[in-house]
Amino acid sequence: MKDIYDITIVGGGAAGLSAALEAYDPNIKLLIIERDQIFGGILNQCIHNGFGLHVFKEELTGPEYAQKLIDSVIKKNIEYILDTTVVDIKKEDIFTLTVSNIEHGEFEIKSKTIILTSGCYERSRGQISIPGDRPKGIMTAGSAQRYLNMDGYLVGKEIFILGSGDIGLIMARRMTLEGAHVLGVAELMPFSNGLTRNVVQCLNDFDIPLYLSHTVTDVVGKESLEAITIQEVDKDYNFIEGTQKTFKVDTLLLSVGLIPDVKLFESIAIDIDPLTKSAYVNQALETSIEGLFVCGNALHVHDLVDDVTIESQKAGRSAKKYILDAKKDKACKKVVDFDQLIRYIVPQSIDFNNLSQDVDLSFRTSKKIEKATFVVEQNGKIIKEVKAKYIVPAEMQKIKLSPSDFISKDDLYIHVKEMS
Amino acid sequence: MYDYTIIGAGIIGSLIARELSKYDLNVLVLEKENDVANVQTRANSAIVHSGHDPQYGTLKAKLSVLGNKLYDDLEKDLHISLLKTGAYVCAHDKDEEDILNDLYENAKLNKVNDMEFLNLSQAQLSEPNLSDDITKVLSLPTTKVCFPWEVAFFALENAINNGVELIRNSEIISIDHKNDIYILKDQNDQIYESKAIINAAGVYSDDIKDMIEDDAPFKITPRKGEYFVLDKSVRGFINHVLYPLPSKKGKGVLVTPQVHGNILLGPTSELVDDKGSISTSKTGLTYIKQHVTALAKNIPFELIIRSFAGVRATSTYKDFYIKESTSHKGFYHVAGIDSPGITAAPAIAKYLVDEIIKIKLPIKDSFTPTIAKKIVFNHLTKEEKIKKQKENPLYGRIICKCEHITEQEIIDAIHGPLGSDTIKGIKKRARAGSGICQGGYCESLIVKIIARETNKDLTQVDYDQKNTPILYKETKVSS
């Protein structure tokens, strides 16, 4: 590995593979690094279906979706290394990745650009400070999913789930089908944090109660989990006395949020958006470090793998353009600003000197809204309006802007106009 | 027949074992838990205090100042991790400044070195995140931070190398004293005979005492302390241990940098009835958040990765109770070791052996005070890493991505001198799963490594205590 790669992709999940396929060019030296022994990332443990409707126009399981990408990567002869962890990234003129594996130990890889697709991790019990004992029997829904779907082991028989994220909902169904008893799902917000279809198909269809505006307030069990208590909260998240309910369970699964895993950024000074907890990017998905691109769940958490693929294709195209285009504009970054009904927007900035492709704004609202218009303004003038209905924070919203939509090179402002 | 049997393998029992292992004696350590350092030693602030706080003239004062110095020896001999942070005790107004002055006078009597007073702007030069409400600071440069589990592990490993025997999962249920011999029985009806007993049972030390004598010079009145842990990406936010002014309840809610880069916020201090209760509470955790802001501004609460609680062995005696039983010769109580117990631990061990037991034996020729330095792979230089990986390729596979822990380090933790076969045991030894994802990624890999290395089925790998497998059953088996 003494050569210099043009593009190195960190991560061989949906984002990494999709970016690689799009970045592929016979004149580009491309490498994918994956820490697991197989490609596919989290798709491998998502054995339920519902993937691929947008990208492949068919309904696939997670492993099937991954396999389609893997087959294409193999067919194109794209170079890759598996069972290899990236431990550090540094940049001087070009990037140096320090990586480690059994075959070579720790070694360095040089690359002109990097596409970081390191995915996300699940918030743990500690991060949300659930009080009580700390027995065995509490884990994230994703961990339980991995044990069940990849290793073939159930983690318990009497289950309660905190958080109505999609993984939690899907595990409620999955564990029921494997013979466990799911007593309920509690959600702090007054609405589910998962896709509506998952609430219907995973809870309603199996008569699993969803306790909205509830959270876990106690955990009991010195060695093994014995019981949990949930309690209702008011609209300011204060606990309502007298609403405690106790469930005798041996397992508490947590589906309380996913956080982009951008730990590698610690050794490379990159601008971070406190809202997404990931990199601040422009419409090419390029970070504040020239030549470093981020996409997929490492950039912000997506609802659908199809969205991950589409976004990662964009990152792949951007990196390819960066390598193949001799002319590199100096980035002129303009900010995308928004009102408080919007939780975050990606990309956070637009490079108006480099506006060759569409700008895809992805965002989430901060509350449930029946009916609204999303308004994009520049210089106080409306340049785009998009109407939407039944808007929930759990479902990502999108606005596409073509280069001709812009009337200047000034900041954008996006706001939500609620309709009654 | 043992010469000495130590009940309890926390940091105190382990350091006493090491102290006794200098001599030609048969020494046994009995631990009720399935792991060393599992109760009080597992959950505390990890501070090696300068010895400023205990009242002059007490054993606590004497042994904490001495213990602080002895940690430098442990660092040399056992290669323990020691962070030389220094500490700031912070006053907020005139009344508190008066108390701070008293504290300074007390510390001077205790022979604490190098102290000085700072005003806010002087203190903020080195700690810019110090709260702006602070008016005066007492700087205690000799304050350090250790990693208590590691101190216990390494001390006991050193003791074992020098001939001490350790038995785990042995909870003493009765003690008889006949013909100058103590007969101990554990919950498995195992009998141990010993000429002398050292009661280092922490919060259970009064239960052990009650098995042998009725008059009660001390009783344990356990106090619970709750804590938050901030992720190690917080490193550098605060570099000193920050104390508010001490109160009757203890040293208050502190900000404490840890050896691995994390920061602890806490503890609370609540009397509890149940010695085994290490649950956290909404009230306690809220209390920490409210009080810690008096010490530091801009605390990144969003970096909280864990909360925990520990119970400290506060006693009715008000000082460390380190004495031989009046009615039973050769029975020594090392009890009531609450804060500054970690600090005093090496001094307690010396004090017990030299001044209470008064062992007159010569140090045996074979005694070795040192152990081999443990490999923390991520701390090695590039060249050392390459060399190690050539010898053993498993140093190349990273299992815990957050803490950069390699497969070989996990295998070492399983098979080491004080090896373990539980997920928590591996976490305590190798730090796998201690990072921001709290094992979300690596735990399933660790379960498989433990199962492989110990020839167990995956459903037999315990989380922490006995019979706590995290996998309940295999799904696709024909029965």
Side-chain angles (χ1 to χ4, degrees):
Chain A
M1 303 234 172
K2 293 219 163 55
D3 308 318
I4 294 173
Y5 288 91
D6 292 311
I7 301 172
T8 299
I9 296 170
V10 178
L17 299 173
S18 302
L21 289 168
E22 197 72 14
Y24 173 79
D25 184 290
N27 298 314
I28 285 180
K29 260 190 87 58
L30 185 61
L31 175 71
I32 311 172
I33 305 172
E34 166 56 41
R35 69 178 176 182
D36 215 328
Q37 301 184 16
I38 48 170
F39 275 137
I42 298 301
L43 282 175
N44 291 324
Q45 67 188 56
C46 299
I47 63 170
H48 50 282
N49 63 1
F51 299 93
L53 286 167
H54 303 279
V55 169
F56 296 113
K57 312 293 177 212
E58 57 180 320
E59 197 171 30
L60 305 168
T61 65
E64 285 171 339
Y65 189 102
Q67 196 60 48
K68 279 188 174 276
L69 297 175
I70 296 166
D71 290 344
S72 304
V73 163
I74 303 291
K75 210 164 144 195
K76 285 200 156 74
N77 259 324
I78 294 173
E79 200 176 330
Y80 62 86
I81 36 174
L82 298 172
D83 200 3
T84 302
T85 305
V86 177
V87 280
D88 195 25
I89 296 176
K90 285 195 173 67
K91 188 185 185 194
E92 287 170 355
D93 294 338
I94 58 167
F95 293 95
T96 302
L97 297 98
T98 305
V99 305
S100 189
N101 65 23
I102 281 202
E103 205 182 338
H104 304 288
E106 201 166 286
F107 63 104
E108 287 180 349
I109 292 172
K110 306 270 183 198
S111 187
K112 290 178 193 162
T113 68
I114 289 177
I115 306 177
L116 199 65
T117 71
S118 44
C120 57
Y121 66 87
E122 296 177 280
R123 285 215 293 174
S124 69
R125 173 188 180 179
Q127 283 176 285
I128 57 167
S129 302
I130 301 174
D133 291 322
R134 288 172 301 291
K136 81 103 188 185
I138 303 171
M139 64 171 72
T140 61
S143 290
Q145 188 180 49
R146 190 180 171 94
Y147 284 126
L148 182 55
N149 293 347
M150 294 186 73
D151 300 328
Y153 288 84
L154 261 174
V155 297
K157 51 184 172 177
E158 296 291 316
I159 321 285
F160 198 88
I161 299 172
L162 173 62
S164 61
D166 287 312
I167 315 172
L169 299 177
I170 285 161
M171 282 308 288
R173 174 176 65 188
R174 186 73 190 100
M175 295 185 95
T176 305
L177 292 173
E178 288 290 351
H181 177 209
V182 180
L183 282 75
V185 176
E187 168 58 54
L188 178 68
M189 307 301 282
F191 47 82
S192 165
N193 256 318
L195 298 171
T196 309
R197 74 170 190 214
N198 283 334
V199 177
V200 174
Q201 293 169 10
C202 301
L203 300 187
N204 300 357
D205 288 359
F206 294 88
D207 289 330
I208 297 169
L210 173 61
Y211 299 92
L212 293 173
S213 296
H214 275 75
T215 192
V216 172
T217 50
D218 200 15
V219 168
V220 178
K222 279 202 174 147
E223 296 177 358
S224 296
L225 180 60
E226 290 160 19
I228 58 127
T229 301
I230 65 169
Q231 197 172 347
E232 193 174 348
V233 297
D234 65 20
K235 63 178 179 10
D236 300 315
Y237 307 111
N238 298 310
F239 298 102
I240 302 173
E241 273 317 309
T243 58
Q244 288 92 333
K245 294 179 194 68
T246 296
F247 297 86
K248 288 196 185 314
V249 289
D250 56 32
T251 304
L252 173 65
L253 295 187
L254 305 175
S255 177
V256 291
L258 299 166
I259 314 239
D261 190 356
V262 287
K263 298 284 285 178
L264 291 165
F265 287 171
E266 280 171 25
S267 61
I268 190 163
I270 195 164
D271 294 348
I272 294 281
D273 180 351
L275 299 175
T276 57
K277 297 184 173 31
S278 181
Y280 193 86
V281 292
N282 64 20
Q283 79 278 10
L285 306 173
E286 188 176 13
T287 65
S288 60
I289 309 253
E290 197 186 294
L292 178 62
F293 301 84
V294 185
C295 60
N297 286 350
L299 180 59
H300 61 127
V301 177
H302 296 66
D303 310 334
L304 304 173
V305 71
D306 300 71
D307 293 337
V308 167
T309 287
I310 291 161
E311 182 182 275
S312 303
Q313 286 168 342
K314 183 161 229 176
R317 281 196 298 278
S318 302
K320 178 154 80 175
K321 179 170 177 288
Y322 182 96
I323 293 298
L324 297 179
D325 276 13
K327 174 177 151 285
K328 284 192 185 66
D329 294 313
K330 190 139 176 67
C332 152
K333 293 202 162 114
K334 285 295 172 184
V335 176
V336 179
D337 203 2
F338 46 87
D339 75 5
Q340 60 187 24
L341 285 177
I342 293 176
R343 207 162 78 204
Y344 74 79
I345 292 190
V346 169
Q348 295 87 345
S349 74
I350 294 170
D351 176 0
F352 284 106
N353 290 334
N354 237 329
L355 213 52
S356 55
Q357 45 182 343
D358 289 344
V359 175
D360 297 297
L361 298 172
S362 302
F363 61 98
R364 289 177 196 280
T365 57
S366 50
K367 66 167 202 177
K368 204 169 165 175
I369 304 165
E370 278 296 310
K371 206 171 149 196
T373 305
F374 302 121
V375 183
V376 185
E377 291 178 9
Q378 202 173 26
N379 306 99
K381 294 196 179 71
I382 295 171
I383 60 165
K384 185 109 183 181
E385 279 185 296
V386 179
K387 287 188 170 35
K389 272 183 184 174
Y390 314 115
I391 305 149
V392 288
E395 295 182 12
M396 196 161 78
Q397 310 296 322
K398 285 172 241 169
I399 299 175
K400 191 182 269 302
L401 297 166
S402 66
S404 62
D405 286 334
F406 299 100
I407 55 172
S408 75
K409 292 185 175 184
D410 291 311
D411 291 3
L412 293 189
Y413 180 67
I414 294 131
H415 64 102
V416 181
K417 225 163 66 188
E418 271 189 271
M419 316 291 227
S420 48
Chain B
M1 170 76 66
Y2 294 94
D3 295 309
Y4 288 89
T5 296
I6 301 165
I7 301 171
I11 191 169
I12 303 290
S14 298
L15 282 161
I16 292 170
R18 177 173 184 254
E19 208 55 43
L20 287 174
S21 74
K22 290 178 178 171
Y23 308 102
D24 197 6
L25 295 166
N26 278 329
V27 179
L28 171 67
V29 181
L30 295 176
E31 171 55 55
K32 80 172 174 64
E33 297 277 311
N34 64 348
D35 201 0
V36 169
N38 230 24
V39 187
Q40 206 180 343
T41 307
R42 172 147 91 174
N44 55 73
S45 305
I47 304 172
V48 178
H49 302 281
S50 61
H52 61 289
D53 174 46
Q55 197 191 342
Y56 172 66
T58 59
L59 205 50
K60 281 187 178 181
K62 172 180 155 174
L63 296 181
S64 57
V65 174
L66 177 62
N68 179 297
K69 294 193 178 76
L70 291 176
Y71 266 88
D72 294 338
D73 297 342
L74 293 180
E75 187 185 27
K76 255 190 310 226
D77 290 343
L78 303 178
H79 314 287
I80 60 160
S81 318
L82 203 56
L83 201 61
K84 286 161 190 164
T85 57
Y88 287 164
V89 191
C90 305
H92 293 80
D93 55 34
K94 194 76 200 61
D95 290 348
E96 289 197 355
E97 285 180 26
D98 291 343
I99 306 173
L100 195 67
N101 293 339
D102 294 345
L103 193 66
Y104 172 80
E105 293 304 326
N106 183 67
K108 225 162 61 179
L109 291 171
N110 288 350
K111 297 203 164 56
V112 175
N113 295 327
D114 306 328
M115 296 182 291
E116 58 175 334
F117 284 113
L118 305 173
N119 62 31
L120 177 66
S121 47
Q122 287 168 324
Q124 279 184 336
L125 283 179
S126 57
E127 292 292 2
N129 290 312
L130 209 58
S131 164
D132 296 324
D133 302 332
I134 291 166
T135 54
K136 191 176 179 182
V137 163
L138 173 61
S139 167
L140 302 165
T142 54
T143 305
K144 307 159 203 174
V145 175
C146 71
F147 184 26
W149 321 340
E150 187 190 76
V151 177
F153 283 135
F154 291 2
L156 198 51
E157 181 182 331
N158 186 216
I160 289 168
N161 292 347
N162 284 309
V164 168
E165 193 180 333
L166 165 71
I167 296 174
R168 285 179 261 202
N169 299 308
S170 174
E171 180 176 0
I172 298 306
I173 54 165
S174 75
I175 305 173
D176 271 335
H177 191 196
K178 277 182 201 147
N179 309 324
D180 289 340
I181 303 291
Y182 290 96
I183 299 145
L184 304 172
K185 190 160 94 169
D186 73 10
Q187 87 285 14
N188 304 317
D189 287 339
Q190 279 291 321
I191 302 291
Y192 305 98
E193 293 185 339
S194 187
K195 293 177 194 159
I197 305 287
I198 294 161
N199 170 13
V203 287
Y204 302 98
S205 52
D206 56 348
D207 299 329
I208 295 292
K209 177 204 67 184
D210 291 344
M211 291 179 196
I212 189 85
E213 55 189 336
D214 296 333
D215 55 332
F218 70 92
K219 178 158 179 48
I220 300 297
T221 48
R223 267 188 187 278
K224 189 193 280 184
E226 300 183 30
Y227 294 86
F228 280 120
V229 186
L230 302 185
D231 180 56
K232 65 177 179 176
S233 60
V234 78
R235 192 193 291 267
F237 171 75
I238 287 287
N239 295 298
H240 288 73
V241 175
L242 303 185
Y243 298 95
L245 286 167
S247 75
K248 278 192 192 116
K249 281 174 126 189
K251 294 186 186 66
V253 174
L254 320 180
V255 178
T256 310
Q258 299 288 294
V259 297
H260 301 101
N262 309 78
I263 285 180
L264 285 191
L265 308 176
T268 55
S269 176
E270 292 302 323
L271 283 171
V272 287
D273 300 328
D274 180 358
K275 291 174 174 181
S277 164
I278 52 161
S279 60
T280 54
S281 65
K282 227 161 41 188
T283 331
L285 296 176
T286 310
Y287 183 90
I288 297 170
K289 280 191 178 173
Q290 281 166 353
H291 283 73
V292 77
T293 51
L295 295 173
K297 56 188 176 189
N298 312 319
I299 297 172
F301 290 117
E302 71 278 6
L303 290 178
I304 290 172
I305 56 169
R306 197 171 177 82
S307 37
F308 68 89
V311 173
R312 33 199 196 266
T314 306
S315 85
T316 48
Y317 185 70
K318 308 291 180 211
D319 198 357
F320 294 153
Y321 189 88
I322 307 173
K323 291 180 184 192
E324 187 173 10
S325 161
T326 45
S327 50
H328 295 271
K329 230 175 121 40
F331 202 108
Y332 302 94
H333 298 297
V334 185
I337 312 296
D338 58 350
S339 180
I342 295 283
T343 308
I348 289 172
K350 268 198 187 317
Y351 174 77
L352 174 76
V353 172
D354 297 347
E355 296 184 43
I356 304 294
I357 301 179
K358 295 191 177 117
I359 287 187
K360 293 286 190 292
L361 296 169
I363 291 178
K364 66 190 179 194
D365 293 341
S366 61
F367 175 70
T368 312
T370 58
I371 59 169
K373 194 171 177 180
K374 294 281 173 299
I375 293 165
V376 180
F377 195 74
N378 197 29
H379 294 174
L380 300 182
T381 64
K382 214 167 165 180
E383 292 70 35
E384 289 171 327
K385 281 183 179 174
I386 291 167
K387 187 169 167 276
K388 280 278 156 207
Q389 282 166 339
K390 278 222 172 86
E391 291 165 15
N392 191 341
L394 291 177
Y395 279 119
R397 180 183 279 150
I398 289 172
I399 299 294
C400 168
K401 200 172 77 98
C402 300
E403 299 287 320
H404 290 177
I405 309 300
T406 63
E407 181 161 356
Q408 186 57 44
E409 288 169 277
I410 289 162
I411 294 172
D412 290 346
I414 296 168
H415 297 303
L418 286 169
S420 172
D421 56 3
T422 69
I423 291 163
K424 276 295 255 305
I426 301 309
K427 183 176 176 182
K428 277 167 77 184
R429 286 159 179 76
R431 279 190 74 69
S434 303
I436 195 158
C437 86
Q438 289 285 297
Y441 174 69
C442 64
E443 188 188 88
S444 69
L445 303 176
I446 291 165
V447 171
K448 282 178 210 154
I449 296 170
I450 294 173
R452 181 190 75 206
E453 294 294 317
T454 58
N455 280 321
K456 281 182 181 163
D457 190 88
L458 289 178
T459 54
Q460 295 170 320
V461 176
D462 285 331
Y463 174 66
D464 184 15
Q465 307 289 342
K466 275 182 294 176
N467 303 319
T468 58
I470 63 161
L471 299 180
Y472 158 63
K473 71 165 192 186
E474 197 170 354
T475 52
K476 298 290 183 275
V477 280
S478 47
S479 52

